[in-house]
Amino acid sequence: MSVRVDRYSSPTTWERRIAGNHSDRQRIAAISAAVGRETELLLEVGCGDGSVLQGIRAARPNALYLGLDRHVEALEAARRIPTPRTCLLVGDALRLPFADQSVDCVVCAEIMEHLGDEKLSEAAREVARVARSQIILTVPNRENLGRRMVDCSHCGSRFHLYGHMQHFNPPRLIHLFDGFSPSRVGEIGPRRNEWSELYSALWRRRWLSEERPLCPNCGSEGPLSHELRGSGGPLGALLLRSLAWVGRRRWLIAEYRRAELVQP
């Protein structure tokens, strides 16, 4: 009988901090800038290693912060760097342990793409329930899910390297949270060309060649298939950069306000 394994419950996933990546620092800065000045209590759902919370707190040191994640391993990584005025909790986005409209702002940074359709709807309802005035969301921008599909070398299962299950574009974000209206939907981060076949082939060789993915079906961890090995060298890197400039930015960011608080 097969078992489902989550790569984010593996301690090795959290050996490298999210904030250590330049692109992710850009995303964190954009999220921090979007937080309303009136925010006194902020919740991040799916806080991971705490990089986003730490970035927001650096910009707004007087607020109080809650970080919730269902992975104990992620919270252990978050606690390696103490963050004052912050409480980290084990919890599930589908059952947030907070009262209705009890936090000023809820941040969902790169979590909604990991949920199937039913769970996505449940999580969106929970986020809208506990948020008093603002929701900030980031998701991959029009991601080509097929680019990151890989095959397990042990059991042959095909799966998304990062566990993504959703494709988002701006229209899909408009009505995601009941009772909230988007005040802004934009693109942030470096550019990527998600739909160029040449770019996809080069990207897979450059970025997937060193991965040792954890199969969600059998739990094995190992190298990818031989056709993905090799980065393409300097020429491949140059082509990647050139093709990326005609693509879109890596993430979408959406800022929402509770509908009754939006000025007509």
Side-chain angles (χ1 to χ4, degrees), residues 177-217:
F177 299 103
D178 291 341
F180 282 79
S181 300
S183 56
R184 181 176 81 96
V185 177
E187 298 183 359
I188 57 174
R191 293 185 179 275
R192 283 184 172 179
N193 193 327
E194 287 289 311
W195 301 99
S196 162
E197 291 186 6
L198 175 58
Y199 183 90
S200 292
L202 291 169
W203 187 94
R204 285 173 66 83
R205 285 186 173 274
R206 171 65 181 85
W207 295 109
L208 300 189
S209 59
E210 298 178 0
E211 290 280 356
R212 295 181 62 86
L214 184 68
C215 176
N217 186 56

Side-chain angles (χ1 to χ4, degrees), residues 127-217:
V127 168
R129 179 183 65 79
V130 304
R132 180 179 298 121
S133 59
Q134 185 183 28
I135 299 170
I136 300 171
L137 172 77
T138 62
V139 291
N141 183 11
R142 302 171 175 87
E143 180 184 5
N144 179 354
L145 293 170
R147 175 187 295 170
R148 297 163 184 88
M149 297 299 291
V150 296
D151 298 312
C152 176
S153 58
H154 292 268
C155 72
S157 296
R158 190 164 179 78
F159 59 96
H160 191 284
L161 181 63
Y162 305 119
H164 293 184
M165 304 173 70
Q166 298 288 343
H167 170 91
F168 289 102
N169 55 27
R172 192 176 180 198
L173 299 182
I174 293 174
H175 303 293
L176 187 59
F177 299 103
D178 291 341
F180 282 79
S181 300
S183 56
R184 181 176 81 96
V185 177
E187 298 183 359
I188 57 174
R191 293 185 179 275
R192 283 184 172 179
N193 193 327
E194 287 289 311
W195 301 99
S196 162
E197 291 186 6
L198 175 58
Y199 183 90
S200 292
L202 291 169
W203 187 94
R204 285 173 66 83
R205 285 186 173 274
R206 171 65 181 85
W207 295 109
L208 300 189
S209 59
E210 298 178 0
E211 290 280 356
R212 295 181 62 86
L214 184 68
C215 176
N217 186 56

Side-chain angles (χ1 to χ4, degrees), residues 17-20 27-28 44 47-56 78:
R17 292 192 61 77
I18 293 172
R27 177 171 59 92
I28 293 169
E44 184 185 4
C47 65
D49 68 6
S51 290
V52 174
L53 281 177
Q54 290 160 12
I56 298 173

Side-chain angles (χ1 to χ4, degrees), residues 56 88 222 256:
I56 298 173
L88 301 175
Y256 301 83

Side-chain angles (χ1 to χ4, degrees), residues 4 14 19 51 90 98 113-114 147 158 160 189 201 264:
R4 302 299 293 178
W14 304 106
S51 290
V90 177
F98 307 105
E113 65 270 20
H114 295 272
R147 175 187 295 170
R158 190 164 179 78
H160 191 284

